[in-house]
Amino acid sequence: MSPTICPTRIFPRLKTNGKLTIISTPYSNGIQYIGMNVQHPPFNDVKVRDAVAYALPYQKIMDVVLYGLGKPMFGAPADAATEVAWPQPHKFQHRS
């Protein structure tokens, strides 16, 4: 489907338009992630993996790729207790 007519892409605009009531169900059990094969260079080096994690613009990905409709699994305080809830804490934040 062309991104110009993708219904998911226009939902945020339709919601704020005020002329329609949009009722939606989140995509359940779906996780989008960037995986690295840690068995092979350069990703077998934890410092490289940390650098990639710090370089990723997490919020920008949520906004542009998922049109702000996803629920992030990042952004909680890194010193918070782990719970069975989102967002889960991690130490990585995008650095410009």
Side-chain angles (χ1 to χ4, degrees):
M1 179 175 279
S2 168
T4 57
I5 60 169
C6 175
T8 305
R9 185 178 185 173
I10 63 171
F11 281 164
R13 269 190 291 162
L14 292 172
K15 280 182 163 183
T16 58
N17 184 310
K19 295 180 181 178
L20 296 172
T21 299
I22 305 296
I23 300 171
S24 61
T25 303
Y27 179 75
S28 63
N29 297 325
I31 296 176
Q32 304 296 323
Y33 69 95
I34 296 174
M36 297 173 249
N37 186 339
V38 300
Q39 299 297 315
H40 301 285
F43 301 115
N44 61 340
D45 182 342
V46 70
K47 290 181 180 181
V48 170
R49 296 193 305 269
D50 281 352
V52 171
Y54 278 117
L56 289 172
Y58 298 101
Q59 191 58 53
K60 185 72 139 182
I61 292 170
M62 295 294 295
D63 296 341
V64 174
V65 177
L66 300 174
Y67 311 109
L69 298 173
K71 182 138 177 99
M73 294 173 59
F74 61 87
D79 58 352
T82 302
E83 301 174 16
V84 182
W86 303 117
Q88 284 293 307
H90 69 69
K91 64 182 180 178
F92 303 107
Q93 297 296 328
H94 174 69
R95 294 183 183 165
S96 304

